[in-house]
Amino acid sequence: MPFGLKLRRTRRYNVLSKNCFVTRIRLLDSSVIECTLSVESTGRECLEAVAQRLELRETHYFGLWFLSKSQQARWVELEKPLKKHLDKFANEPLLFFGVMFYVPNVSWLQQEATRYQYYLQVKKDVLEGRLRCSLEQVIRLAGLAVQADFGDYNQFDSQDFLREYVLFPMDLALEEAVLEELTQKVAQERKAHRTIMETVCTWAFSLWGFS
């Protein structure tokens, strides 16, 4: 390691020096990144560091949250020193990046990267059961999600991978035969449409009750 620098682990953080710490942030695609910050760095500085990695300019729609010591989701107060905030309130120094403010119309989102993060938030909320929708809406959203993640349908592509892809809410108990039938409907949904991220977001906004 350069300059003979040695990492040491404290009870809560990976510490580079007495003036710096490393915190982990789970993104909306479930990947985890690490950010090295000053102990005086604010939550906003951490959010800006995450946004830079995501090539995201419209940061005002997003925030960081954590699980409190009582296991409740709590948003980071962006203007306060992050380490002190986590030391006082967080169960562990793991942050979650997510949509904090929703706009009434997708046309307000100027950047493709912003629309993609909104899509990931909707997809996550549907799959984890926080955003309820009908079975028809689930199939529609799953078809759009497959397009967003894997591209438009190609007649030479095998659709077998859909059986391994999480398409439906985790709390939706389905028999094997029904699951296979719905998976085929998702494949047909993907085949019937060509889409861009704005289309995905526009339709997803209808689930929130926006237009």
Side-chain angles (χ1 to χ4, degrees), residues 1 8 15 113 131 154 164 176:
M1 191 172 292
R8 67 181 186 275
V15 178
L131 186 59
N154 185 306
E164 306 299 324
E176 189 65 30

Side-chain angles (χ1 to χ4, degrees), residues 34-131:
E34 292 186 342
C35 284
T36 302
L37 301 164
S38 160
V39 294
E40 300 300 325
S41 293
T42 63
R44 186 170 303 282
E45 289 175 85
C46 184
L47 179 61
E48 292 291 345
V50 173
Q52 185 174 17
R53 296 202 194 186
L54 296 174
E55 299 182 342
L56 192 64
R57 296 190 302 273
E58 296 174 289
T59 58
H60 44 283
Y61 297 127
F62 301 92
L64 300 168
W65 59 276
F66 58 88
L67 287 176
S68 70
K69 293 175 181 178
S70 59
Q71 296 299 302
Q72 299 296 311
R74 177 169 178 162
W75 289 103
V76 169
E77 296 180 38
L78 295 179
E79 304 309 322
K80 293 186 176 181
L82 179 61
K83 188 175 185 302
K84 290 181 181 178
H85 196 55
L86 294 178
D87 279 344
K88 185 174 181 179
F89 298 110
N91 184 54
E92 61 174 323
L94 174 64
L95 296 171
F96 298 84
F97 171 80
V99 175
M100 190 173 187
F101 300 107
Y102 294 97
V103 295
N105 192 292
V106 67
S107 64
W108 288 28
L109 306 179
Q110 301 300 309
Q111 193 185 8
E112 185 79 0
T114 307
R115 294 170 181 166
Y116 181 64
Q117 294 301 322
Y118 266 73
Y119 151 69
L120 289 177
Q121 183 72 73
V122 175
K123 176 182 172 184
K124 187 177 183 67
D125 287 348
V126 169
L127 292 179
E128 295 180 359
R130 287 188 296 273
L131 186 59

Side-chain angles (χ1 to χ4, degrees), residues 21 82 92 119-120 133 141 157 171 181 199 206:
F21 73 103
L82 179 61
E92 61 174 323
Y119 151 69
L120 289 177
C133 49
L141 186 59
D157 288 345
D171 60 352
E181 179 185 353
T199 304
S206 69

